[in-house]
Amino acid sequence: MRRICCLNNISPLGTELLTDDYQLTDDLSQATGVLVRSAAMHDLEFPPDLLAVARAGAGVNNIPLERCAEEGIVVFNTPGANANAVKELVLCGMLLASRGIVDGIAWCRDNAGDENIGKAAEKAKKAFAGREVKGKRLGVIGLGAIGALVANAAVDLGMEVYGYDPYVSVGAAWRISSSVRHVTNLDEVLSSCDYLTIHVPAMDSTKGMIDARACSLMKDGAVFLNFSRDSLVDDAAMTEALASGKVAAYVTDFANPAVMRMERAIVLPHLGASTAEAEDNCAVMATRQMMDYLDNGNIANSVNYPACDMGPVPEGARRVAVLHANVPNALARITNVFGDAGVNIENLTNKAKGDNAYTMLDLNANAPGYPDDALEKLAAIEGVRRVRVVR
């Protein structure tokens, strides 16, 4: 029986997918797998039987990825599952920053007791006059699942869209409208667009990438939207750009004390993926990926180990999965163990991702010398983090 611990409330559409081979538990120490959304895991001690952590969402900064890799724990996320929800909020944010909507709503609330509010509104509304987005230029920084959807939607709104992503995948490129102009120079996007929206992962290389220099390059009166991660924007630089009028508005989904003190900042309480549909999609995707790994050894959308898929375990075969360091001769050492034991390898795949690698082998289930002796020798190989018989 495999036990799954949910560290956050997970949509039942996900947990209902668990078969009779699975059981939900509140005890992390007994867990084979973990389903998580935002719960902080960096200070948690992981039980020796924990094999997988599935994040129902895209961001994984709440999970200690390197420690998980070293302990042979595969971490999954769900890229694209909440993309439509974030896309819709980005469009909402762009419109909020264009039409004086936020200030207009506040004026109506402030004057709620005026019996002649209708007439007063006709005089007051000129203070909230905005501009239309049609015909304006939008720069999309990052053309992954969310960025591609935002770019395509903006094209449909009649905007001129420039997309910047030096690492855009072939799959993403196919999803992007041919009307989106692919730009290879970020400075060009920053300096020429009326609206800018960022959709890149939070990494050391992207932290604070929207700094004082980036803000200085922006078109006067530009609107900047951040529905990706707060660490991508240098708060001090954005504060100065807003105060000087260089940036007309900063729309962000990440509240912090510095942002709340900014002039003309429209701040939302991290609502990007907060829709019932997105939570359902993320839960379903996370659960399916985790079950496929636990049941068959297959890895899809892992952030610390490579993608690897050999389909279901064939009838009459035993599948062995080895999580190990990506070092020279690792595969040879693994296969030699079975060769020395006289075990025929019927199918094999080996993939690497950075410092981490994964090997799956389908073996004859009735082969002599298997599994005990071979598995012990596999586990003794330097750099091997975990060995398991999948089925």
Side-chain angles (χ1 to χ4, degrees):
M1 181 68 69
R2 297 185 174 112
R3 293 179 173 84
I4 306 302
C5 179
C6 297
L7 297 184
N8 297 103
N9 289 328
I10 301 296
S11 166
L13 288 187
T15 54
E16 286 171 0
L17 295 173
L18 297 172
T19 65
D20 292 341
D21 295 327
Y22 290 85
Q23 183 180 73
L24 291 173
T25 179
D26 293 327
D27 187 356
L28 177 62
S29 68
Q30 301 296 315
T32 310
V34 165
L35 288 167
V36 63
R37 291 172 59 198
S38 59
M41 299 186 65
H42 285 276
D43 295 330
L44 296 180
E45 182 177 347
F46 300 136
D49 292 334
L50 183 63
L51 301 177
V53 173
R55 161 78 163 96
V60 289
N61 55 346
N62 58 319
I63 304 169
L65 302 182
E66 291 186 10
R67 178 158 68 95
C68 285
E70 292 169 0
E71 295 184 24
I73 300 168
V74 179
V75 180
F76 300 90
N77 70 344
T78 58
N82 60 14
N84 186 72
V86 179
K87 175 208 75 176
E88 291 185 359
L89 198 62
V90 171
L91 297 177
C92 174
M94 187 165 58
L95 295 173
L96 287 175
S98 301
R99 297 295 300 274
I101 296 170
V102 174
D103 290 340
I105 291 173
W107 182 92
C108 289
R109 290 293 182 189
D110 291 342
N111 291 273
D114 185 351
E115 294 183 357
N116 297 310
I117 188 172
K119 290 183 179 180
E122 291 300 319
K123 295 179 180 179
K125 69 180 183 181
K126 61 184 179 182
F128 314 121
R131 61 180 180 177
E132 299 179 16
V133 298
K134 183 179 180 180
K136 304 302 187 298
R137 185 175 294 183
L138 171 68
V140 182
I141 303 170
L143 294 169
I146 296 170
L149 288 180
V150 170
N152 292 345
V155 168
D156 292 339
L157 289 174
M159 302 186 78
E160 185 180 349
V161 182
Y162 282 54
Y164 169 79
D165 192 333
Y167 309 109
V168 63
S169 67
V170 174
W174 277 108
R175 293 192 298 267
I176 298 169
S177 167
S178 60
S179 298
V180 176
R181 302 184 186 185
H182 188 211
V183 180
T184 58
N185 188 323
L186 178 58
D187 288 358
E188 180 182 349
V189 176
L190 292 171
S191 62
S192 63
C193 291
D194 305 292
Y195 298 85
L196 294 154
T197 180
I198 190 166
H199 302 284
V200 300
M203 304 183 296
D204 289 341
S205 60
T206 60
K207 184 178 180 180
M209 66 180 288
I210 305 303
D211 55 12
R213 178 184 178 276
C215 289
S216 70
L217 291 173
M218 292 181 194
K219 189 175 179 180
D220 290 347
V223 170
F224 195 89
L225 302 105
N226 179 12
F227 288 82
S228 188
R229 283 290 180 266
D230 60 346
S231 62
L232 302 176
V233 175
D234 183 307
D235 287 339
M238 184 58 68
T239 297
E240 184 175 341
L242 288 165
S244 69
K246 181 68 174 178
V247 174
Y250 177 44
V251 189
T252 178
D253 206 19
F254 309 102
N256 65 43
V259 168
M260 298 311 300
R261 292 191 294 268
M262 291 180 185
E263 299 178 33
R264 296 186 305 282
I266 299 173
V267 187
L268 305 179
H270 203 185
L271 298 179
S274 295
T275 68
E277 294 87 348
E279 292 181 7
D280 290 345
N281 292 341
C282 289
V284 167
M285 188 173 178
T287 304
R288 284 176 173 165
Q289 290 174 167
M290 183 178 65
M291 289 176 65
D292 194 23
Y293 174 66
L294 296 179
D295 292 344
N296 298 302
N298 298 321
I299 296 177
N301 294 320
S302 171
V303 292
N304 62 348
Y305 276 97
C308 200
D309 192 340
M310 288 177 59
V313 180
E315 189 72 27
R318 281 284 178 87
R319 180 166 291 172
V320 175
V322 185
L323 296 163
H324 55 94
N326 181 20
V327 294
N329 297 320
L331 179 60
R333 294 189 182 100
I334 292 169
T335 56
N336 285 342
V337 167
F338 293 104
D340 293 343
V343 178
N344 185 49
I345 298 173
E346 298 181 349
N347 196 9
L348 176 151
T349 187
N350 170 264
K351 302 290 184 182
K353 182 175 185 176
D355 295 331
N356 308 315
Y358 186 50
T359 300
M360 278 197 295
L361 312 99
D362 283 346
L363 313 170
N364 187 323
N366 299 315
Y370 172 85
D372 295 336
D373 183 54
L375 297 183
E376 290 174 2
K377 290 181 177 179
L378 281 176
I381 295 174
E382 184 178 358
V384 168
R385 284 100 177 242
R386 188 185 295 273
V387 179
R388 72 182 182 106
V389 178
V390 177
R391 195 182 298 175

